[in-house]
Amino acid sequence: GQQLNQSPQSMFIQEGEDVSMNCTSSSIFNTWLWYKQDPGEGPVLLIALYKAGELTSNGRLTAQFGITRKDSFLNISASIPSDVGIYFCAGRRIQGAQKLVFGQGTRLTINP
Amino acid sequence: EAGVAQSPRYKIIEKRQSVAFWCNPISGHATLYWYQQILGQGPKLLIQFQNNGVVDDSQLPKDRFSAERLKGVDSTLKIQPAKLEDSAVYLCASSLDTGPGEQFFGPGTRLTVL
């Protein structure tokens, strides 16, 4: 089953608002990734984090790799209609296989 | 640069029938992944290939699912026989190597089993 707890499951916001979502795990991860998936498409990588404490931005998106290596968050500033979609966190564990484990996703809906 | 290609995009079959999906990764990408994404969930890895060898198939239901990547380029995933719970989107992804490199996803094949 899923090993990453992503919250919130859904968000309904007004255009222009800031958005924050996070992902937590009981296990340590050595890589955190944030993806966005539009309907009928595969996930697209937004931000990749490789070091604990790392803070990385991509335009209006900012993500951080938690110091404990067990969490990460994604912030979107000044949301616009094209930000609508499902956001997934994904992690790669230190121990075990190098495969990616995905969270359940956060569905973002924006009211214009 | 062309992305990951998958076909078909949609497939509807009845339970106990067989189905196959095809994936062509990004040129030069050694690693290929097949994921299953059930509605409302994140993708779950089914199998990972490095060139034409299997790296991880621990979550592949081997009694009914099979996958191959004979020439180390494109790949097929087969389900035989299909069950109702196999209804999902099957995503293919590729990356340059097995390390912390980026995985690029295809558009997926949406399978409906009736």
Side-chain angles (χ1 to χ4, degrees):
Chain A
Q2 297 288 357
Q3 301 175 41
L4 295 181
N5 297 310
Q6 188 172 346
S7 66
Q9 289 189 3
S10 60
M11 301 183 72
F12 299 85
I13 63 170
Q14 296 294 123
E15 183 178 351
E17 289 185 4
D18 296 343
V19 172
S20 184
M21 60 191 77
N22 67 80
C23 206
T24 61
S25 171
S26 57
S27 303
I28 291 174
F29 282 77
N30 67 349
T31 303
W32 285 95
L33 306 169
W34 286 92
Y35 287 86
K36 178 175 183 277
Q37 187 173 28
D38 292 327
E41 300 296 330
V44 174
L45 183 66
L46 299 174
I47 293 179
L49 303 159
Y50 301 110
K51 294 181 180 179
E54 181 179 357
L55 184 71
T56 298
S57 294
N58 178 7
R60 295 177 296 104
L61 278 62
T62 302
Q64 185 160 27
F65 191 145
I67 291 292
T68 65
R69 295 178 176 265
K70 294 183 178 181
D71 62 349
S72 178
F73 72 76
L74 175 70
N75 286 342
I76 305 173
S77 62
S79 58
I80 60 178
S82 61
D83 291 334
V84 167
I86 303 177
Y87 292 79
F88 289 99
C89 63
R92 186 176 284 114
R93 293 172 59 185
I94 290 179
Q95 294 181 347
Q98 286 292 304
K99 66 186 176 186
L100 283 180
V101 177
F102 281 80
Q104 308 97 316
T106 295
R107 181 181 294 273
L108 178 63
T109 303
I110 298 175
N111 299 316
Chain B
E1 178 182 84
V4 176
Q6 290 188 248
S7 67
R9 292 296 309 274
Y10 305 92
K11 190 73 176 179
I12 300 174
I13 63 173
E14 295 189 349
K15 60 183 179 183
R16 290 187 290 274
Q17 286 187 324
S18 301
V19 65
F21 313 126
W22 174 83
C23 171
N24 186 259
I26 293 174
S27 177
H29 280 195
T31 307
L32 184 147
Y33 313 78
W34 282 104
Y35 288 85
Q36 180 192 58
Q37 186 177 23
I38 293 173
L39 185 64
Q41 298 182 16
K44 182 186 81 171
L45 180 69
L46 292 176
I47 189 167
Q48 175 184 341
F49 291 95
Q50 172 78 0
N51 296 309
N52 60 351
V54 175
V55 174
D56 185 343
D57 63 356
S58 58
Q59 297 193 98
L60 185 74
K62 299 180 185 64
D63 57 334
R64 297 183 301 106
F65 285 65
S66 64
E68 60 182 15
R69 193 185 185 199
L70 293 177
K71 296 183 179 179
V73 181
D74 55 355
S75 174
T76 56
L77 176 69
K78 297 179 182 178
I79 308 175
Q80 180 179 10
K83 293 184 176 181
L84 297 177
E85 59 261 36
D86 297 333
S87 294
V89 175
Y90 291 85
L91 295 163
C92 179
S94 70
S95 64
L96 278 174
D97 54 35
T98 58
E102 298 177 16
Q103 292 184 25
F104 295 87
F105 285 81
T109 297
R110 180 175 296 278
L111 173 66
T112 301
V113 182
L114 303 176

